Amino acid sequence: MNKNTRSFKDDFKWQYWLLIFAFVIILSLHMIAQSAHSPYRFLRYVRDFLPEAIAAAISAVITNYINDFNNKSLKMIPHVIYPLIAGTALFFTILFFSGVFSTVEIVISGNGDGQFNANEIQKINDGLEEGNKNLKLFLGMNYCRIAGQTETGCPPVNVNKVYSLLTRQIENNKNNYDIYELDAIWIPYFVKKGWIIPLDQYRDKPKIRYTFGVEQETGRFVHKRDDTTPYNQTFIVPNFLNVGFLMYRVDLFHRLTGKDREPSSWDELIEWLYEIKEKYGDEYDGFVFQGDRYEGLMCNYMEILWANGGEIIEENGIPIVNTPEGISALKFFRKLLKDGIIPEEALTYNEAESLEHFAQGKTLVLRQWPRAFYNIQHQKKYKNLRNKVNVMSRPLPFKGVARSSARMSLGGWSYAISSYAYDNGRAKPAMEAIEYLTSEKQFNEALYPQFSGEGEVSIRVPAHKLVIENESGEKDALSYAYTYLKNHYYRTRPKFPYYAVFSEILVRHIHQFLKSGDSTAEEALKNAQEELNETIPEEVRKNNFL
């Protein structure tokens, strides 16, 4: 054999195949990990070193190629092109079978106002497809069905029932939700349990300026990255909001008292209601609220507590409810009940029932939410109230208390990404879905409810300043909500991770006191405090809330 004849091994240049295939495989893994479109959870652990590995592979290939090219000139080009072609084919084959190019299925736990249905989910998925989002949304739990949906509409969601069902599913590992829709009071518990993940690394931060700072108020928590380093992280993206309203009959106040203005304080409002009571006896009810034994009563209690300058704070991990302001708030409700300003049946009312009482036309003041004012404006069954009801321009304080102390309860629902989605590599597509669901376009399309007719419907107050601003009319539900949110006339209820237990205990004692009147306000809160002192440490220990 001629000594100058090159061997097959020399011409084949197996090292190019090895280097390029190694590069292709590493790059493929990197793209799969970065796209988070596949369920291979091990990729989360190799993601950090992949960029360095890719750089090393590229460097090796280029260095070898340059050296050989300098030595053998153009003769080496075919030996590089063949493995490049084969490597490219392998690259796209790996990505295809990994699911990077497939549609990602994102499961959402439910929608807080119960308005997600098959038609609406289909519209959302059509929008995702038009926007080339490569995502498809599925509804895991129908909150409206749980609430008892009827042909004419969706009644208010029973948050306690949904909370109980959802937390049981999570604790028993029987859920596959990528996105949770959470009531504002659930968020601290989900954070402490590790069921949702921080969103700061995924969130499009410029959009935060449109959300009234609600996520700062309800969903930002101080945690520890390790044993020593504290950090602030945001865990939710607000979807739609609720803020308490104090509504009153303009026509009746004018006709019965001659007043053409709002009261400046709770004291003045109550004075007017007593004047009417003295003149007209039982013909009119002064004030109606949500007084049944559930979270609605807590919202009403907190608003009177805040208006009186009160707070619920923690001392050594225990919420303190037995305070002078708390006692005054209980006495306020009890006196109005005793004197007939509040009808006794209000202690059995939720949102729908208190609105029905107000709709009878003989009640002067109603504490409610934007959906009630929307129904009064738009539903035929409430036409007797149309143009006769206004919302207080701002919350009322008690005399001697700073006006800034008076706030209404903030409610509403927010999106969060589950730790399940993170563990299974779907955090990024879940965030894409949330960004779409909370986009200006989607808020505009989903602003008003699908249900109509004689049944109660739900106005959605989107967590987006521009949408509310553009859609608000003069003195409508959205315009009042915008005023309250923009001016920060709201507060969150206490951000305790054990809030559900705390609320159940306090509401039970408040309701029992208001209904029976057998004990004093001091005794009621003393008993509530003693039960909290016994129960909360056990709740903290059981759930490792340390």
Side-chain angles (χ1 to χ4, degrees), residues 166-424:
L166 182 58
T167 53
R168 276 204 313 272
Q169 287 181 342
I170 299 171
E171 286 168 346
N172 295 327
N173 295 315
K174 291 183 177 179
N175 85 92
N176 63 338
Y177 304 134
D178 300 296
I179 299 172
Y180 294 126
E181 177 131 21
L182 303 177
D183 189 7
I185 60 175
W186 303 351
I187 298 167
Y189 186 78
F190 276 64
V191 170
K192 279 289 189 181
K193 294 290 281 187
W195 292 343
I196 57 179
I197 65 170
L199 303 182
D200 290 12
Q201 60 181 313
Y202 304 108
R203 185 84 195 272
D204 184 358
K205 289 181 173 58
K207 292 183 179 178
I208 292 177
R209 67 180 183 273
Y210 296 126
T211 60
F212 302 97
V214 167
E215 72 274 29
Q216 303 289 329
E217 186 90 11
T218 64
R220 194 165 187 86
F221 295 86
V222 176
H223 279 297
K224 288 188 175 180
R225 185 182 293 107
D226 49 47
D227 290 336
T228 58
T229 311
Y231 70 103
N232 284 312
Q233 293 260 30
T234 303
F235 286 77
I236 55 97
V237 177
N239 180 21
F240 68 92
L241 307 172
N242 245 342
V243 61
F245 281 171
L246 204 59
M247 304 189 299
Y248 64 102
R249 288 285 302 273
V250 182
D251 60 325
L252 289 183
F253 271 115
H254 175 69
R255 179 159 58 85
L256 302 179
T257 70
K259 303 288 192 303
D260 287 321
R261 62 174 178 83
E262 292 182 3
S264 60
S265 65
W266 270 107
D267 306 80
E268 188 171 37
L269 173 60
I270 299 305
E271 183 182 322
W272 294 358
L273 296 179
Y274 272 98
E275 287 178 12
I276 294 170
K277 183 74 173 175
E278 189 175 336
K279 288 182 183 178
Y280 298 94
D282 295 333
E283 186 176 348
Y284 298 97
D285 289 322
F287 177 46
V288 168
F289 69 111
Q290 297 75 52
D292 202 359
R293 186 179 144 182
Y294 79 118
E295 189 61 27
L297 178 56
M298 175 64 88
C299 292
N300 282 268
Y301 171 76
M302 292 303 302
E303 287 163 4
I304 297 301
L305 180 72
W306 293 329
N308 203 29
E311 301 280 350
I312 292 179
I313 61 172
E314 281 183 301
E315 283 186 9
N316 300 318
I318 305 293
I320 306 302
V321 299
N322 190 12
T323 63
E325 296 83 7
I327 292 168
S328 294
L330 284 192
K331 289 180 176 179
F332 167 83
F333 283 111
R334 185 63 218 158
K335 179 171 173 51
L336 295 185
L337 282 160
K338 183 180 177 182
D339 294 345
I341 302 297
I342 297 175
E344 287 287 341
E345 54 266 33
L347 295 178
T348 65
Y349 286 167
N350 59 21
E351 282 81 2
E353 292 156 345
S354 60
L355 178 57
E356 290 305 311
H357 187 109
F358 189 69
Q360 294 171 15
K362 294 291 186 176
T363 303
L364 287 102
V365 181
L366 170 67
R367 186 271 176 206
Q368 259 281 3
W369 304 96
R371 68 183 290 159
F373 194 63
Y374 177 83
N375 275 282
I376 287 170
Q377 291 178 307
H378 296 282
Q379 289 292 294
K380 290 180 181 178
K381 65 187 292 186
Y382 304 121
K383 63 183 180 181
N384 63 309
L385 298 180
R386 205 159 295 159
N387 301 319
K388 297 176 181 177
V389 179
N390 271 358
V391 176
M392 296 287 180
S393 59
R394 62 177 299 164
L396 298 178
F398 284 92
K399 285 183 179 177
V401 176
R403 194 163 187 117
S404 59
S405 295
R407 292 288 185 268
M408 302 302 283
S409 295
L410 179 71
W413 298 75
S414 298
Y415 292 122
I417 297 176
S418 70
S419 54
Y420 172 87
Y422 180 74
D423 288 341
N424 288 278

Side-chain angles (χ1 to χ4, degrees), residues 32 36-43 98-99 420-426:
I32 296 169
H37 278 44
S38 91
Y40 309 124
R41 71 173 64 186
F42 80 91
L43 292 174
S98 73
Y420 172 87
Y422 180 74
D423 288 341
N424 288 278
R426 289 201 296 276

Side-chain angles (χ1 to χ4, degrees), residues 26-36 50 91 95 100-101:
I26 292 172
L27 180 61
S28 301
L29 288 173
H30 180 66
M31 287 194 66
I32 296 169
Q34 287 300 102
S35 70
L50 283 176
F91 174 67
L95 293 188
V100 166
F101 300 126

